[in-house]
Amino acid sequence: MIAGQTSYGSNGLQNFLFPLEYMYLTQGEYQYTYSHNGTYAMDFQGWGANGRVYHCPYYAPFDCTVVAKWGSKSPMIVWQSDKEVNFVNGTTGYACIGFVHDNNTPSIHVGDKRKQGQVIGHTGTYGNASGDHVHIEVKKGKYSGYYQNSSGVWQLKNESHLYNLIGINNTVIIKD
């Protein structure tokens, strides 16, 4: 998505959009992927028309509110949709998206609000990061907490594959 973008389905609900203008996947989900073992989390580096961008902005994929901020070494900021949204798999419901590594994490607080298309954060190195990027986790439904899985990795409860929930619109795919 691009800055200021909004997107609605024919049912009047907002569409859940991928939050970066460029998609450059650097770490996938689930098995044998270092810090994502046992999860559906994915990492993306900042990218622009001329290549790599540090502290690249990402945008609110729907109208949302911060409902949780957890973790000590690499805090996750969890944003929940203010209303039900459309998922790319054809279903609807509330959604949560969690971001990690924004260097501005200390200034984000539970209760903060953003409208779809507004800057919600930037790729960064805050916490336990090996380079500038954003770590993203998503779930269908309202926020229900987090837990440590059998591989010792902390994650959202009932998280989903990004590709089952997030639509791509005006996003340039560099590396998927």
Side-chain angles (χ1 to χ4, degrees):
M1 74 185 299
I2 57 176
Q5 182 178 8
T6 59
S7 178
Y8 290 85
S10 60
N11 60 1
L13 299 178
Q14 288 182 329
N15 296 318
F16 187 169
L17 296 178
F18 183 73
L20 288 121
E21 187 172 350
Y22 292 84
M23 180 186 286
Y24 193 111
L25 179 66
T26 59
Q27 185 177 351
E29 62 179 37
Y30 206 64
Q31 294 181 330
Y32 316 114
T33 59
Y34 180 60
S35 61
H36 295 178
N37 202 18
T39 77
Y40 299 138
M42 298 177 106
D43 290 348
F44 301 90
Q45 75 177 23
W47 198 264
N50 296 316
R52 181 71 195 259
V53 175
Y54 294 90
H55 308 293
C56 181
Y58 49 90
Y59 307 99
F62 39 68
D63 292 352
C64 54
T65 303
V66 175
V67 293
K69 183 175 178 179
W70 54 266
S72 57
K73 290 184 180 179
S74 291
M76 175 175 280
I77 306 298
V78 182
W79 299 80
Q80 180 178 284
S81 61
D82 293 337
K83 297 179 180 178
E84 290 190 354
V85 298
N86 294 312
F87 300 112
V88 74
N89 68 4
T91 63
T92 62
Y94 281 89
C96 289
I97 187 166
F99 298 103
V100 181
H101 303 307
D102 184 347
N103 293 345
N104 296 317
T105 293
S107 66
I108 300 170
H109 306 286
V110 171
D112 287 354
K113 292 184 171 289
R114 296 290 186 282
K115 293 289 188 189
Q116 188 177 44
Q118 288 183 318
V119 173
I120 201 169
H122 295 83
T123 61
T125 56
Y126 190 78
N128 197 13
S130 58
D132 186 90
H133 71 284
V134 62
H135 169 105
I136 300 176
E137 295 182 32
V138 299
K139 75 173 292 285
K140 186 175 182 178
K142 292 186 176 184
Y143 178 71
S144 58
Y146 58 95
Y147 72 102
Q148 191 171 25
N149 68 23
S150 60
S151 297
V153 179
W154 291 95
Q155 65 187 86
L156 287 172
K157 284 185 181 176
N158 303 313
E159 71 177 357
S160 301
H161 296 285
L162 273 68
Y163 51 79
N164 283 340
L165 302 184
I166 298 177
I168 305 296
N169 191 2
N170 295 324
T171 298
V172 178
I173 299 175
I174 304 298
K175 181 180 175 196
D176 63 358

